[in-house]
C-alpha cells in the first residue's frame, strides 16, 4: 500500500519543513556551538554590535546548513584557535 504513494506524497513533509524556515530550530549540536560562540564572544573585547552581527550571520548559516544536513564542524571546521571577528 505504501508503495502506491507518489513521490510528491512521500516528500510532502520535507517540503513543508523548507517552506517553514522561520520556525526552524537548531539541532542539539548546533545549539551547543552557538552557546559556546556566544560565551567566547562575550569574553572577548569585540564591540557588542559586531558580536550581534557575527551571531546573526552564524545563526542564518547554520540554519541553512541544517537543511542540507551540514554540521557546524563541516561549515566552520574544528575549533583549534580563538574566535576571530573583524573589528
Amino acid at each position: 500500500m505504501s508503495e502506491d504513494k507518489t513521490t510528491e506524497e512521500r516528500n510532502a513533509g520535507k517540503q513543508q519543513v523548507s517552506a517553514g524556515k522561520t520556525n526552524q530550530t537548531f539541532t542539539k549540536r548546533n545549539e551547543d556551538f552557538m552557546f559556546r560562540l556566544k560565551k567566547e564572544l562575550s569574553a572577548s573585547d569585540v564591540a557588542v554590535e559586531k558580536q550581534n552581527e557575527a551571531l546573526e550571520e552564524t545563526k542564518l548559516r547554520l540554519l541553512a546548513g541544517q537543511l542540507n544536513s551540514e554540521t557546524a564542524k563541516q561549515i566552520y571546521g574544528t575549533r583549534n584557535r580563538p574566535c576571530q571577528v573583524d573589528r
Side-chain angles (χ1 to χ4, degrees):
M1 185 182 265
S2 63
E3 296 150 6
D4 296 335
K5 290 184 178 180
T6 65
T7 304
E8 187 175 306
E9 288 173 337
R10 284 183 286 165
N11 293 332
K14 292 181 182 182
Q15 292 168 355
Q16 290 172 357
V17 169
S18 61
K21 281 187 201 176
T22 56
N23 296 332
Q24 187 181 10
T25 59
F26 287 120
T27 62
K28 288 184 180 187
R29 287 188 181 181
N30 283 347
E31 190 162 339
D32 181 59
F33 178 85
M34 288 298 292
F35 173 78
R36 292 172 190 265
L37 178 62
K38 287 176 189 177
K39 190 171 152 183
E40 273 197 41
L41 285 174
S42 64
S44 71
D45 59 347
V46 177
V48 175
E49 295 82 24
K50 285 286 189 179
Q51 288 180 20
N52 291 337
E53 249 181 62
L55 289 171
E56 187 62 26
E57 278 182 36
T58 305
K59 174 186 168 187
L60 294 175
R61 179 61 183 102
L62 287 176
L63 290 174
Q66 282 182 182
L67 294 175
N68 299 321
S69 301
E70 294 176 322
T71 63
K73 184 177 178 181
Q74 290 171 323
I75 296 168
Y76 295 107
T78 57
R79 186 193 167 288
N80 56 6
R81 58 185 163 78
C83 65
Q84 296 177 346
V85 176
D86 295 331
R87 298 174 191 207

